[in-house]
């Protein structure tokens, strides 16, 4: 038995030297120390078979082996835990000097920025937002708007026809017809959206954006339009901006006007933006033509209204100093993200 005790001690020592992981150490502990069937407790059981006189001495030897094994294994456990922790720290180390991944902040498209500002201003004046379809029929895009068959706006060069009856809307004005045939007057609406024309140069794109406005009530006059626009341009550009009406012609308004604002860049003195005139044209409008009101099934002796329409892209270009409309649509984010507000 003494030989066996010495053998076990040697085995434990040898195996302990080779152990490098906590798992392997636990296996060794199970093999020699833990439970009733492992080597040292099993030796203790065999003590009963030994000579009676020898038993106390052998018992002491086995207990000594047990204490010694517990101690060396614990010591090794502590060492391995330290080693494993150091290794984990090394593995999980974070290099705080490494440059972080950049999260790009998005921005709204300049046309959306302008549209949102206008929607907010018009909402404050009681206008509701109406969105109508982009594929229109002849009646809504032209006929109901008092645009006779031979009108140049119907020229196939300007209009993207789908077939004889349908086309991509060339302006947001057909929204007026949808409004008057579906909302009971009095009402005030703005109709923003995409419009399409076969036109393409530095200031024209085949797809662009307009915003239409329509107010229908009793006794509406051009003064109502001017008063409303005065408030609008002050909020949109700056408090000292003035409006100017020039007579014009549109089939769907009578009288019709073109509206200029005093140049917000030079204050009216004349500069590159206003081409030396001191004024910048921003929209067309007028008093809704009696025929249009009639075409929508309303009584023109009872109801009158004002209407106006303008290009959102043009306003965005003016506001942000963009000289080519294609900058808005080429998808170059470096260009677009400059124009946030
Ligand atoms: N629809 C016109 C255009 O695209 C703009 C316009 C002018 C709209 C006068 C109106 C208006 O509502 O009254 O050029």
């Amino acid at each position: 038995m003494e030989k066996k005790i010495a053998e076990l001690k040697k085995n434990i020592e040898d195996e302990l030297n080779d152990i490098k992981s906590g798992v392997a150490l636990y296996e060794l502990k199970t093999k020699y120390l833990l439970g009733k069937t492992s080597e040292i407790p099993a030796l203790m059981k065999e003590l009963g078979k030994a000579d009676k006189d020898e038993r106390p001495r052998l018992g002491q030897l086995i207990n000594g082996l047990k204490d010694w094994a517990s101690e060396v294994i614990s010591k090794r456990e502590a060492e391995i835990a330290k080693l494993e922790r150091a290794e984990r720290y090394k593995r999980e180390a974070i290099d705080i000097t490494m440059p972080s991944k950049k999260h790009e902040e998005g921005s709204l498209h300049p046309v959306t920025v302008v549209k949102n500002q206008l929607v907010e201003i018009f909402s404050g004046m009681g206008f509701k937002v109406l969105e109508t379809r982009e594929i229109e029929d002849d009646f809504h895009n032209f006929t109901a708007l008092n645009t006779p068959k031979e009108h140049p706006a119907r020229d196939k060069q300007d209009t993207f026809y789908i077939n004889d009856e349908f086309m991509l809307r060339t302006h947001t004005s057909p929204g007026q017809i949808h409004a008057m045939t579906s909302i009971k007057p009095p009402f005030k609406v703005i109709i923003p959206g995409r419009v399409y024309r076969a036109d393409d140069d530095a200031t024209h794109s085949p797809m662009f954006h307009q915003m239409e406005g329509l107010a229908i009530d009793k006794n509406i006059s051009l003064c109502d339009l001017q008063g409303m626009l005065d408030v609008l341009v002050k909020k949109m550009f700056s408090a000292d901006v003035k409006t100017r009406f020039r007579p014009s012609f549109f089939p769907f308004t009578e009288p019709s006007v073109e509206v200029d604002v005093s140049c917000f860049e030079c204050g009216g003195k004349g500069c590159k933006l206003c081409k030396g005139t001191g004024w910048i044209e921003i929209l067309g409008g007028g008093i809704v033509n009696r025929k249009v009101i009639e075409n929508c099934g309303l009584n023109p002796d009872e109801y009158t209204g004002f209407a106006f329409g303008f290009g959102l892209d043009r306003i965005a270009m003016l506001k942000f100093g963009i000289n080519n409309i294609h900058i808005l649509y080429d998808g170059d984010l470096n260009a677009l993200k400059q124009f946030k507000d």
Side-chain angles (χ1 to χ4, degrees):
M1 186 166 261
E2 276 188 85
K3 218 176 122 200
K4 177 99 195 203
I5 292 170
E7 214 173 81
L8 276 180
K9 189 172 176 190
K10 176 140 193 337
N11 287 351
I12 293 174
E13 261 173 347
D14 288 351
E15 286 177 35
L16 215 50
N17 276 338
D18 289 342
I19 275 175
K20 288 188 182 65
S21 76
V23 178
L25 186 65
Y26 185 74
E27 275 167 12
L28 179 129
K29 204 171 168 180
T30 321
K31 182 174 165 194
Y32 291 103
L33 262 183
L34 300 177
K36 284 182 187 134
T37 51
S38 60
E39 303 272 1
I40 299 176
L43 206 60
M44 206 51 129
K45 263 193 183 164
E46 288 199 4
L47 199 59
K49 291 181 199 155
D51 239 18
K52 213 174 167 201
D53 301 341
E54 283 287 291
R55 271 186 225 160
R57 196 177 62 82
L58 288 173
Q60 260 180 3
L61 277 178
I62 298 173
N63 273 332
L65 175 70
K66 199 174 150 195
D67 291 347
W68 170 84
S70 301
E71 206 186 306
V72 287
I73 289 174
S74 301
K75 227 170 118 190
R76 192 81 188 118
E77 260 170 1
E79 279 166 16
I80 284 184
K82 208 172 146 190
L83 267 172
E84 285 189 338
R85 207 176 317 123
E87 239 168 63
R88 208 185 79 219
Y89 285 166
K90 211 167 128 190
R91 203 172 50 239
E92 293 177 0
I94 295 167
D95 181 1
I96 55 165
T97 63
M98 211 159 92
S100 64
K101 263 194 193 160
K102 259 199 186 159
H103 287 283
E104 290 268 345
E105 191 191 336
S107 62
L108 292 176
H109 190 275
V111 171
T112 308
V113 171
V114 166
K115 181 187 134 184
N116 289 352
Q117 281 177 356
L118 283 160
V119 165
E120 198 168 316
I121 298 169
F122 279 115
S123 300
M125 295 194 277
F127 284 78
K128 295 262 180 302
V129 180
L130 182 68
E131 288 196 8
T132 63
R133 62 197 187 187
E134 287 177 32
I135 292 178
E136 271 302 353
D137 53 29
D138 186 276
F139 176 76
H140 288 84
N141 199 74
F142 292 130
T143 308
L145 286 163
N146 194 36
T147 307
K149 279 267 184 239
E150 65 281 8
H151 195 279
R154 285 190 163 219
D155 194 316
K156 281 205 165 52
Q157 282 186 355
D158 287 335
T159 309
F160 289 115
Y161 280 96
I162 292 164
N163 54 32
D164 283 350
E165 180 61 17
F166 291 97
M167 66 209 69
L168 296 178
R169 65 177 174 192
T170 54
H171 50 178
T172 44
S173 302
Q176 289 188 36
I177 309 303
H178 291 292
M180 280 187 270
T181 51
S182 64
I183 310 170
K184 203 169 167 287
F187 65 81
K188 289 188 274 189
V189 289
I190 47 168
I191 307 147
R194 292 190 192 95
V195 299
Y196 304 85
R197 285 182 205 176
D199 214 351
D200 199 358
D201 60 30
T203 52
H204 297 89
S205 149
M207 185 284 299
F208 60 107
H209 299 79
Q210 286 189 338
M211 187 178 275
E212 193 82 11
L214 176 69
I216 298 285
D217 202 340
K218 291 176 179 165
N219 303 317
I220 282 198
S221 77
L222 220 45
C223 292
D224 296 311
L225 178 61
Q226 182 150 30
M228 190 277 297
L229 288 176
D230 276 339
V231 175
L232 173 79
V233 298
K234 283 182 183 9
K235 289 199 170 154
M236 190 66 196
F237 299 109
S238 77
D240 49 4
V241 165
K242 291 191 262 305
T243 58
R244 174 176 85 170
F245 277 29
R246 281 181 289 108
S248 184
F249 172 80
F250 297 103
F252 29 90
T253 40
E254 182 58 39
S256 298
V257 292
E258 256 162 340
V259 181
D260 300 336
V261 289
S262 55
C263 182
F264 40 83
E265 192 72 21
C266 63
K269 286 191 217 78
C271 68
K272 220 172 132 191
L273 187 69
C274 59
K275 299 192 184 86
T277 64
W279 295 92
I280 298 170
E281 186 195 321
I282 55 156
L283 61 85
I287 292 297
V288 182
N289 194 311
R290 291 176 60 85
K291 288 192 194 152
V292 175
I293 293 191
E294 225 165 48
N295 289 340
C296 295
L298 297 173
N299 179 358
D301 292 325
E302 187 183 1
Y303 289 110
T304 47
F306 65 66
F308 57 90
F310 54 86
L312 290 174
D313 315 72
R314 184 171 151 71
I315 306 274
M317 288 165 74
L318 286 169
K319 250 184 100 92
F320 295 121
I322 301 169
N323 58 8
N324 188 319
I325 193 166
H326 296 286
I327 289 174
L328 296 175
Y329 299 114
D330 280 353
D332 179 353
L333 291 181
N334 282 331
L336 290 174
K337 68 185 178 192
Q338 301 172 66
F339 314 113
K340 281 188 187 159
D341 231 313

mmCIF file of all heavy atoms in Angstrom, residues 121-122 125 222-245 259-262 279 282-283 306 308:
data_model
loop_
_atom_site.group_PDB
_atom_site.id
_atom_site.type_symbol
_atom_site.label_atom_id
_atom_site.label_comp_id
_atom_site.label_asym_id
_atom_site.label_seq_id
_atom_site.Cartn_x
_atom_site.Cartn_y
_atom_site.Cartn_z
ATOM 1 N N ILE A 121 -46.532 76.617 -43.504
ATOM 2 C CA ILE A 121 -47.048 77.993 -43.592
ATOM 3 C C ILE A 121 -48.515 77.972 -44.045
ATOM 4 O O ILE A 121 -49.374 78.626 -43.452
ATOM 5 C CB ILE A 121 -46.193 78.837 -44.573
ATOM 6 C CG1 ILE A 121 -44.748 78.944 -44.070
ATOM 7 C CG2 ILE A 121 -46.796 80.240 -44.740
ATOM 8 C CD1 ILE A 121 -43.776 79.537 -45.086
ATOM 9 N N PHE A 122 -48.807 77.196 -45.101
ATOM 10 C CA PHE A 122 -50.185 77.144 -45.602
ATOM 11 C C PHE A 122 -51.138 76.526 -44.570
ATOM 12 O O PHE A 122 -52.288 76.954 -44.448
ATOM 13 C CB PHE A 122 -50.254 76.365 -46.923
ATOM 14 C CG PHE A 122 -49.868 77.191 -48.123
ATOM 15 C CD1 PHE A 122 -48.745 76.894 -48.866
ATOM 16 C CD2 PHE A 122 -50.651 78.278 -48.506
ATOM 17 C CE1 PHE A 122 -48.391 77.662 -49.971
ATOM 18 C CE2 PHE A 122 -50.301 79.059 -49.612
ATOM 19 C CZ PHE A 122 -49.168 78.742 -50.345
ATOM 20 N N MET A 125 -52.478 78.895 -42.335
ATOM 21 C CA MET A 125 -53.501 79.791 -42.894
ATOM 22 C C MET A 125 -54.781 79.016 -43.218
ATOM 23 O O MET A 125 -55.663 79.524 -43.919
ATOM 24 C CB MET A 125 -52.949 80.460 -44.163
ATOM 25 C CG MET A 125 -51.772 81.368 -43.856
ATOM 26 S SD MET A 125 -51.333 82.474 -45.215
ATOM 27 C CE MET A 125 -50.326 81.439 -46.220
ATOM 28 N N LEU A 222 -59.097 89.213 -56.079
ATOM 29 C CA LEU A 222 -57.647 89.178 -56.250
ATOM 30 C C LEU A 222 -56.922 89.714 -55.003
ATOM 31 O O LEU A 222 -55.783 89.328 -54.727
ATOM 32 C CB LEU A 222 -57.291 90.026 -57.480
ATOM 33 C CG LEU A 222 -56.205 89.534 -58.429
ATOM 34 C CD1 LEU A 222 -56.319 88.066 -58.779
ATOM 35 C CD2 LEU A 222 -56.198 90.395 -59.688
ATOM 36 N N CYS A 223 -57.612 90.607 -54.267
ATOM 37 C CA CYS A 223 -57.014 91.157 -53.038
ATOM 38 C C CYS A 223 -56.757 90.033 -52.029
ATOM 39 O O CYS A 223 -55.756 90.073 -51.296
ATOM 40 C CB CYS A 223 -57.933 92.182 -52.380
ATOM 41 S SG CYS A 223 -58.091 93.660 -53.344
ATOM 42 N N ASP A 224 -57.674 89.054 -51.986
ATOM 43 C CA ASP A 224 -57.479 87.937 -51.051
ATOM 44 C C ASP A 224 -56.202 87.171 -51.408
ATOM 45 O O ASP A 224 -55.433 86.775 -50.540
ATOM 46 C CB ASP A 224 -58.681 86.979 -51.098
ATOM 47 C CG ASP A 224 -59.953 87.664 -50.634
ATOM 48 O OD1 ASP A 224 -59.907 88.307 -49.570
ATOM 49 O OD2 ASP A 224 -60.982 87.582 -51.344
ATOM 50 N N LEU A 225 -56.008 86.975 -52.728
ATOM 51 C CA LEU A 225 -54.800 86.270 -53.181
ATOM 52 C C LEU A 225 -53.556 87.071 -52.804
ATOM 53 O O LEU A 225 -52.597 86.530 -52.258
ATOM 54 C CB LEU A 225 -54.857 86.053 -54.703
ATOM 55 C CG LEU A 225 -53.638 85.377 -55.328
ATOM 56 C CD1 LEU A 225 -53.418 83.978 -54.768
ATOM 57 C CD2 LEU A 225 -53.768 85.310 -56.859
ATOM 58 N N GLN A 226 -53.599 88.385 -53.077
ATOM 59 C CA GLN A 226 -52.412 89.188 -52.799
ATOM 60 C C GLN A 226 -52.108 89.242 -51.294
ATOM 61 O O GLN A 226 -50.955 89.108 -50.888
ATOM 62 C CB GLN A 226 -52.546 90.601 -53.351
ATOM 63 C CG GLN A 226 -51.273 91.428 -53.107
ATOM 64 C CD GLN A 226 -51.026 92.491 -54.156
ATOM 65 O OE1 GLN A 226 -51.970 93.026 -54.738
ATOM 66 N NE2 GLN A 226 -49.763 92.793 -54.410
ATOM 67 N N GLY A 227 -53.154 89.414 -50.495
ATOM 68 C CA GLY A 227 -52.962 89.473 -49.038
ATOM 69 C C GLY A 227 -52.339 88.186 -48.522
ATOM 70 O O GLY A 227 -51.403 88.195 -47.712
ATOM 71 N N MET A 228 -52.850 87.076 -49.041
ATOM 72 C CA MET A 228 -52.354 85.774 -48.601
ATOM 73 C C MET A 228 -50.889 85.586 -49.032
ATOM 74 O O MET A 228 -50.036 85.138 -48.252
ATOM 75 C CB MET A 228 -53.258 84.688 -49.203
ATOM 76 C CG MET A 228 -53.060 83.289 -48.698
ATOM 77 S SD MET A 228 -51.744 82.433 -49.509
ATOM 78 C CE MET A 228 -52.320 82.375 -51.183
ATOM 79 N N LEU A 229 -50.596 85.979 -50.300
ATOM 80 C CA LEU A 229 -49.231 85.802 -50.809
ATOM 81 C C LEU A 229 -48.226 86.689 -50.084
ATOM 82 O O LEU A 229 -47.072 86.300 -49.877
ATOM 83 C CB LEU A 229 -49.188 86.075 -52.318
ATOM 84 C CG LEU A 229 -49.849 85.011 -53.200
ATOM 85 C CD1 LEU A 229 -49.829 85.429 -54.668
ATOM 86 C CD2 LEU A 229 -49.165 83.660 -53.042
ATOM 87 N N ASP A 230 -48.676 87.899 -49.690
ATOM 88 C CA ASP A 230 -47.785 88.797 -48.932
ATOM 89 C C ASP A 230 -47.309 88.129 -47.649
ATOM 90 O O ASP A 230 -46.130 88.183 -47.297
ATOM 91 C CB ASP A 230 -48.518 90.105 -48.577
ATOM 92 C CG ASP A 230 -48.456 91.096 -49.738
ATOM 93 O OD1 ASP A 230 -47.561 90.939 -50.592
ATOM 94 O OD2 ASP A 230 -49.314 92.012 -49.788
ATOM 95 N N VAL A 231 -48.261 87.491 -46.948
ATOM 96 C CA VAL A 231 -47.911 86.799 -45.702
ATOM 97 C C VAL A 231 -46.966 85.632 -46.017
ATOM 98 O O VAL A 231 -45.938 85.436 -45.350
ATOM 99 C CB VAL A 231 -49.195 86.272 -45.000
ATOM 100 C CG1 VAL A 231 -48.837 85.438 -43.775
ATOM 101 C CG2 VAL A 231 -50.104 87.435 -44.623
ATOM 102 N N LEU A 232 -47.316 84.896 -47.078
ATOM 103 C CA LEU A 232 -46.532 83.715 -47.443
ATOM 104 C C LEU A 232 -45.056 84.043 -47.725
ATOM 105 O O LEU A 232 -44.159 83.420 -47.158
ATOM 106 C CB LEU A 232 -47.150 83.060 -48.689
ATOM 107 C CG LEU A 232 -46.349 81.912 -49.288
ATOM 108 C CD1 LEU A 232 -46.560 80.648 -48.483
ATOM 109 C CD2 LEU A 232 -46.724 81.678 -50.742
ATOM 110 N N VAL A 233 -44.824 85.053 -48.589
ATOM 111 C CA VAL A 233 -43.433 85.318 -48.990
ATOM 112 C C VAL A 233 -42.601 85.881 -47.836
ATOM 113 O O VAL A 233 -41.398 85.628 -47.755
ATOM 114 C CB VAL A 233 -43.321 86.249 -50.230
ATOM 115 C CG1 VAL A 233 -43.982 85.594 -51.434
ATOM 116 C CG2 VAL A 233 -43.891 87.629 -49.968
ATOM 117 N N LYS A 234 -43.255 86.602 -46.935
ATOM 118 C CA LYS A 234 -42.528 87.111 -45.766
ATOM 119 C C LYS A 234 -42.053 85.938 -44.904
ATOM 120 O O LYS A 234 -40.948 85.938 -44.376
ATOM 121 C CB LYS A 234 -43.406 88.064 -44.957
ATOM 122 C CG LYS A 234 -43.503 89.449 -45.609
ATOM 123 C CD LYS A 234 -44.337 90.373 -44.760
ATOM 124 C CE LYS A 234 -44.586 91.751 -45.321
ATOM 125 N NZ LYS A 234 -44.200 92.064 -46.673
ATOM 126 N N LYS A 235 -42.930 84.949 -44.757
ATOM 127 C CA LYS A 235 -42.553 83.781 -43.941
ATOM 128 C C LYS A 235 -41.536 82.913 -44.675
ATOM 129 O O LYS A 235 -40.666 82.305 -44.065
ATOM 130 C CB LYS A 235 -43.795 82.946 -43.621
ATOM 131 C CG LYS A 235 -44.699 83.651 -42.638
ATOM 132 C CD LYS A 235 -45.656 82.696 -41.983
ATOM 133 C CE LYS A 235 -46.368 83.398 -40.844
ATOM 134 N NZ LYS A 235 -47.664 82.853 -40.533
ATOM 135 N N MET A 236 -41.696 82.837 -45.979
ATOM 136 C CA MET A 236 -40.864 81.933 -46.766
ATOM 137 C C MET A 236 -39.459 82.503 -46.991
ATOM 138 O O MET A 236 -38.466 81.795 -46.880
ATOM 139 C CB MET A 236 -41.565 81.719 -48.109
ATOM 140 C CG MET A 236 -40.973 80.647 -48.952
ATOM 141 S SD MET A 236 -41.176 79.044 -48.184
ATOM 142 C CE MET A 236 -40.012 78.091 -49.121
ATOM 143 N N PHE A 237 -39.367 83.786 -47.313
ATOM 144 C CA PHE A 237 -38.063 84.375 -47.637
ATOM 145 C C PHE A 237 -37.574 85.279 -46.505
ATOM 146 O O PHE A 237 -36.726 84.889 -45.744
ATOM 147 C CB PHE A 237 -38.128 85.112 -48.974
ATOM 148 C CG PHE A 237 -38.489 84.196 -50.127
ATOM 149 C CD1 PHE A 237 -39.737 84.270 -50.743
ATOM 150 C CD2 PHE A 237 -37.590 83.237 -50.583
ATOM 151 C CE1 PHE A 237 -40.060 83.415 -51.794
ATOM 152 C CE2 PHE A 237 -37.910 82.375 -51.631
ATOM 153 C CZ PHE A 237 -39.154 82.471 -52.233
ATOM 154 N N SER A 238 -38.117 86.504 -46.406
ATOM 155 C CA SER A 238 -37.786 87.327 -45.238
ATOM 156 C C SER A 238 -38.830 88.425 -45.068
ATOM 157 O O SER A 238 -39.599 88.717 -45.991
ATOM 158 C CB SER A 238 -36.364 87.907 -45.357
ATOM 159 O OG SER A 238 -36.365 88.996 -46.246
ATOM 160 N N ALA A 239 -38.832 89.032 -43.885
ATOM 161 C CA ALA A 239 -39.927 89.934 -43.498
ATOM 162 C C ALA A 239 -40.035 91.167 -44.387
ATOM 163 O O ALA A 239 -41.102 91.793 -44.465
ATOM 164 C CB ALA A 239 -39.744 90.354 -42.036
ATOM 165 N N ASP A 240 -38.951 91.559 -45.074
ATOM 166 C CA ASP A 240 -39.032 92.773 -45.886
ATOM 167 C C ASP A 240 -39.315 92.491 -47.371
ATOM 168 O O ASP A 240 -39.249 93.400 -48.200
ATOM 169 C CB ASP A 240 -37.740 93.602 -45.715
ATOM 170 C CG ASP A 240 -36.501 92.748 -45.897
ATOM 171 O OD1 ASP A 240 -36.652 91.553 -46.221
ATOM 172 O OD2 ASP A 240 -35.377 93.273 -45.715
ATOM 173 N N VAL A 241 -39.629 91.241 -47.691
ATOM 174 C CA VAL A 241 -39.903 90.900 -49.093
ATOM 175 C C VAL A 241 -41.322 91.341 -49.477
ATOM 176 O O VAL A 241 -42.267 91.174 -48.721
ATOM 177 C CB VAL A 241 -39.717 89.374 -49.305
ATOM 178 C CG1 VAL A 241 -40.323 88.920 -50.615
ATOM 179 C CG2 VAL A 241 -38.233 89.021 -49.277
ATOM 180 N N LYS A 242 -41.406 91.978 -50.677
ATOM 181 C CA LYS A 242 -42.723 92.458 -51.150
ATOM 182 C C LYS A 242 -43.164 91.654 -52.372
ATOM 183 O O LYS A 242 -42.352 90.986 -53.011
ATOM 184 C CB LYS A 242 -42.600 93.925 -51.571
ATOM 185 C CG LYS A 242 -42.368 94.876 -50.409
ATOM 186 C CD LYS A 242 -42.525 96.317 -50.841
ATOM 187 C CE LYS A 242 -41.216 97.032 -51.159
ATOM 188 N NZ LYS A 242 -40.174 97.063 -50.166
ATOM 189 N N THR A 243 -44.450 91.727 -52.705
ATOM 190 C CA THR A 243 -44.927 91.049 -53.917
ATOM 191 C C THR A 243 -45.337 92.081 -54.970
ATOM 192 O O THR A 243 -45.661 93.233 -54.647
ATOM 193 C CB THR A 243 -46.158 90.155 -53.635
ATOM 194 O OG1 THR A 243 -47.195 90.976 -53.085
ATOM 195 C CG2 THR A 243 -45.831 89.030 -52.693
ATOM 196 N N ARG A 244 -45.342 91.635 -56.223
ATOM 197 C CA ARG A 244 -45.786 92.502 -57.314
ATOM 198 C C ARG A 244 -46.594 91.632 -58.279
ATOM 199 O O ARG A 244 -46.171 90.528 -58.622
ATOM 200 C CB ARG A 244 -44.550 93.071 -58.020
ATOM 201 C CG ARG A 244 -44.849 93.873 -59.254
ATOM 202 C CD ARG A 244 -43.583 94.483 -59.823
ATOM 203 N NE ARG A 244 -42.875 93.553 -60.699
ATOM 204 C CZ ARG A 244 -41.846 93.904 -61.482
ATOM 205 N NH1 ARG A 244 -41.374 95.143 -61.462
ATOM 206 N NH2 ARG A 244 -41.260 93.030 -62.260
ATOM 207 N N PHE A 245 -47.776 92.125 -58.663
ATOM 208 C CA PHE A 245 -48.599 91.369 -59.618
ATOM 209 C C PHE A 245 -48.418 91.946 -61.016
ATOM 210 O O PHE A 245 -48.444 93.150 -61.205
ATOM 211 C CB PHE A 245 -50.089 91.494 -59.240
ATOM 212 C CG PHE A 245 -50.530 90.529 -58.163
ATOM 213 C CD1 PHE A 245 -49.647 90.061 -57.202
ATOM 214 C CD2 PHE A 245 -51.855 90.096 -58.116
ATOM 215 C CE1 PHE A 245 -50.064 89.183 -56.216
ATOM 216 C CE2 PHE A 245 -52.273 89.223 -57.128
ATOM 217 C CZ PHE A 245 -51.385 88.757 -56.177
ATOM 218 N N VAL A 259 -46.761 86.527 -60.420
ATOM 219 C CA VAL A 259 -46.381 87.188 -59.173
ATOM 220 C C VAL A 259 -44.861 87.172 -59.027
ATOM 221 O O VAL A 259 -44.220 86.135 -59.182
ATOM 222 C CB VAL A 259 -47.045 86.487 -57.965
ATOM 223 C CG1 VAL A 259 -46.673 87.204 -56.668
ATOM 224 C CG2 VAL A 259 -48.560 86.451 -58.143
ATOM 225 N N ASP A 260 -44.316 88.364 -58.759
ATOM 226 C CA ASP A 260 -42.883 88.487 -58.501
ATOM 227 C C ASP A 260 -42.688 88.805 -57.021
ATOM 228 O O ASP A 260 -43.566 89.414 -56.392
ATOM 229 C CB ASP A 260 -42.284 89.664 -59.295
ATOM 230 C CG ASP A 260 -42.467 89.510 -60.799
ATOM 231 O OD1 ASP A 260 -42.620 88.357 -61.252
ATOM 232 O OD2 ASP A 260 -42.473 90.541 -61.501
ATOM 233 N N VAL A 261 -41.535 88.429 -56.500
ATOM 234 C CA VAL A 261 -41.160 88.910 -55.160
ATOM 235 C C VAL A 261 -39.934 89.796 -55.321
ATOM 236 O O VAL A 261 -39.116 89.577 -56.221
ATOM 237 C CB VAL A 261 -40.807 87.771 -54.164
ATOM 238 C CG1 VAL A 261 -42.037 86.995 -53.766
ATOM 239 C CG2 VAL A 261 -39.730 86.846 -54.703
ATOM 240 N N SER A 262 -39.853 90.813 -54.440
ATOM 241 C CA SER A 262 -38.658 91.650 -54.491
ATOM 242 C C SER A 262 -37.467 90.765 -54.138
ATOM 243 O O SER A 262 -37.574 89.865 -53.300
ATOM 244 C CB SER A 262 -38.785 92.818 -53.503
ATOM 245 O OG SER A 262 -39.052 92.322 -52.207
ATOM 246 N N TRP A 279 -36.512 92.011 -59.115
ATOM 247 C CA TRP A 279 -37.690 91.164 -58.877
ATOM 248 C C TRP A 279 -37.456 89.735 -59.363
ATOM 249 O O TRP A 279 -36.731 89.515 -60.332
ATOM 250 C CB TRP A 279 -38.918 91.733 -59.612
ATOM 251 C CG TRP A 279 -39.334 93.067 -59.088
ATOM 252 C CD1 TRP A 279 -38.927 94.286 -59.551
ATOM 253 C CD2 TRP A 279 -40.214 93.321 -57.992
ATOM 254 N NE1 TRP A 279 -39.494 95.291 -58.820
ATOM 255 C CE2 TRP A 279 -40.292 94.730 -57.855
ATOM 256 C CE3 TRP A 279 -40.934 92.524 -57.098
ATOM 257 C CZ2 TRP A 279 -41.077 95.341 -56.869
ATOM 258 C CZ3 TRP A 279 -41.724 93.134 -56.127
ATOM 259 C CH2 TRP A 279 -41.790 94.522 -56.012
ATOM 260 N N ILE A 282 -42.137 84.193 -59.131
ATOM 261 C CA ILE A 282 -42.258 82.930 -58.391
ATOM 262 C C ILE A 282 -43.526 82.131 -58.685
ATOM 263 O O ILE A 282 -43.543 80.926 -58.483
ATOM 264 C CB ILE A 282 -42.118 83.081 -56.853
ATOM 265 C CG1 ILE A 282 -43.118 84.104 -56.313
ATOM 266 C CG2 ILE A 282 -40.694 83.394 -56.445
ATOM 267 C CD1 ILE A 282 -43.413 83.854 -54.840
ATOM 268 N N LEU A 283 -44.587 82.780 -59.126
ATOM 269 C CA LEU A 283 -45.769 81.946 -59.378
ATOM 270 C C LEU A 283 -46.770 82.571 -60.329
ATOM 271 O O LEU A 283 -46.715 83.765 -60.648
ATOM 272 C CB LEU A 283 -46.458 81.533 -58.072
ATOM 273 C CG LEU A 283 -47.030 82.559 -57.101
ATOM 274 C CD1 LEU A 283 -48.438 82.976 -57.500
ATOM 275 C CD2 LEU A 283 -47.094 81.947 -55.715
ATOM 276 N N PHE A 306 -59.739 81.857 -55.723
ATOM 277 C CA PHE A 306 -58.439 82.162 -56.326
ATOM 278 C C PHE A 306 -57.634 80.867 -56.420
ATOM 279 O O PHE A 306 -57.867 79.916 -55.664
ATOM 280 C CB PHE A 306 -57.670 83.264 -55.583
ATOM 281 C CG PHE A 306 -57.216 82.959 -54.176
ATOM 282 C CD1 PHE A 306 -56.254 81.975 -53.921
ATOM 283 C CD2 PHE A 306 -57.708 83.712 -53.097
ATOM 284 C CE1 PHE A 306 -55.828 81.716 -52.634
ATOM 285 C CE2 PHE A 306 -57.272 83.456 -51.797
ATOM 286 C CZ PHE A 306 -56.334 82.452 -51.575
ATOM 287 N N PHE A 308 -53.513 79.348 -57.569
ATOM 288 C CA PHE A 308 -52.127 79.695 -57.903
ATOM 289 C C PHE A 308 -51.318 78.399 -58.025
ATOM 290 O O PHE A 308 -51.743 77.340 -57.547
ATOM 291 C CB PHE A 308 -51.503 80.609 -56.839
ATOM 292 C CG PHE A 308 -51.519 80.028 -55.451
ATOM 293 C CD1 PHE A 308 -50.465 79.244 -54.989
ATOM 294 C CD2 PHE A 308 -52.603 80.260 -54.609
ATOM 295 C CE1 PHE A 308 -50.504 78.706 -53.723
ATOM 296 C CE2 PHE A 308 -52.638 79.712 -53.326
ATOM 297 C CZ PHE A 308 -51.589 78.936 -52.882
#
